[in-house]
Amino acid sequence: MTTPSHPLSALSALSALPDGLGLPAGSVIAQGGAPLLWLADETAEPGSWAQLRPAAESAGLLPVLLHDTHGPAEWWTDRLLPGRMSDPEDHHVEVVLREYWEAVVPDEAEDEDPEGEGAELIAPFGRSWAGLAAPGAAGADPEAEAAGTAEALLASGRLRNPRLGLVPATRSADIPAAIGWTGPTNHENDTARLGAVLRSWEERYGARVVALGFDLLDLSVAAPPRTSAESLAVAAEHFAFAPDNIWQGAGSLREYAQELPGSRQWTFWWD
């Protein structure tokens, strides 16, 4: 798990001196005596994401919004399992996505018609993993895009009980594994494997982890795919990463891909 050298002292400083760092009142969430993150006590309001910047820059912590939309209230008090997670560094994105793809694509042997519903769901792709999508073109500043996405989420009212959080991690993609987030547990028990994909999206699309719910993940995207072909390839990665986006959403990769060109926010959920 990727953390600063002294996360305890950094998080303790935030808890003891929130006023000096421009933060609202908050406390450190810990598991087994190990500090995982600092979390504000009160619900975040539009405009409050900027409060995290001074502390994040001075203490080497990264911002995130936690909320209890679609899940138990304040799930972060007892549903974080950092001991179950490995390190995203230990996993290769191609291997992870290939394994996910092979696990979630319809089994041809179970299809009465090999060219029927199962094949149509993943068209134009076959049952073998097609490889990574091409990187997005140079886009907006990723940190500015993350701030804008966070403020848009807060203003939308979609997040229930959102809290400002700060996590001891060196890159945004590592936030879920660093705190032991278990949102995708029905798809993947080791969130660090998903973290390997998030790292790749961070590099290829300027993605940043902005918000975590009980089973929801919101990313900002600074360099999204622009064309239909690029979006189809990204849609295949999204299906492998979070199949419920298609199974319980668009219904097929082609339909889902239509939502992606130019989209600067990606949302994932796991049932």
Side-chain angles (χ1 to χ4, degrees):
M1 184 166 58
T2 305
T3 59
S5 300
H6 303 289
L8 176 59
S9 59
L11 289 171
S12 297
L14 295 184
S15 183
L17 300 170
D19 293 339
L21 294 169
L23 292 172
S27 58
V28 172
I29 304 295
Q31 292 283 350
L36 298 179
L37 74 154
W38 173 92
L39 200 63
D41 292 337
E42 301 297 329
T43 299
E45 300 292 339
S48 59
W49 180 266
Q51 291 180 279
L52 299 175
R53 184 177 296 277
E57 292 178 348
S58 63
L61 302 169
L62 295 181
V64 69
L65 293 170
L66 267 59
H67 60 95
D68 53 35
T69 309
H70 297 169
E74 300 190 10
W75 52 265
W76 46 82
T77 61
D78 59 1
R79 292 177 182 266
L80 299 177
L81 299 174
R84 195 170 79 180
M85 311 307 168
S86 58
D87 189 328
E89 185 71 27
D90 296 336
H91 307 285
H92 191 282
V93 60
E94 280 268 24
V95 174
V96 171
L97 284 176
R98 181 183 299 110
E99 291 177 357
Y100 286 164
W101 178 265
E102 292 173 351
V104 302
V105 297
D107 187 343
E108 186 174 8
E110 296 179 1
D111 283 347
E112 293 182 7
D113 175 9
E115 301 302 322
E117 293 184 2
E120 181 59 29
L121 183 147
I122 60 174
F125 301 99
R127 289 175 169 82
S128 297
W129 172 242
L132 295 182
D141 174 71
E143 308 311 325
E145 196 66 41
T149 298
E151 292 300 345
L153 283 169
L154 290 172
S156 73
R158 178 169 73 80
L159 307 185
R160 187 180 68 185
N161 191 28
R163 306 286 190 89
L164 298 172
L166 288 165
V167 177
T170 57
R171 54 192 296 177
S172 174
D174 293 354
I175 287 174
I179 66 173
W181 181 59
T182 57
T185 193
N186 290 335
H187 178 58
E188 174 59 74
N189 286 323
D190 183 0
T191 306
R193 283 169 53 81
L194 293 173
V197 181
L198 293 175
R199 282 185 171 199
S200 182
W201 289 346
E202 190 177 87
E203 295 162 358
R204 286 183 287 149
Y205 305 110
R208 296 291 186 271
V209 173
V210 172
L212 292 170
F214 174 69
D215 57 2
L216 288 166
L217 166 65
D218 281 288
L219 305 179
S220 62
V221 187
R226 298 291 181 181
T227 68
S228 296
E230 291 172 352
S231 295
L232 270 171
V234 173
E237 294 190 23
H238 285 200
F239 179 51
F241 183 81
D244 287 332
N245 276 35
I246 286 80
W247 284 339
Q248 299 187 34
S252 73
L253 289 186
R254 289 188 191 277
E255 291 294 324
Y256 181 79
Q258 293 180 17
E259 306 170 10
L260 296 180
S263 176
R264 295 186 177 274
Q265 180 182 333
W266 293 347
T267 299
F268 303 95
W269 67 91
W270 294 264
D271 193 359

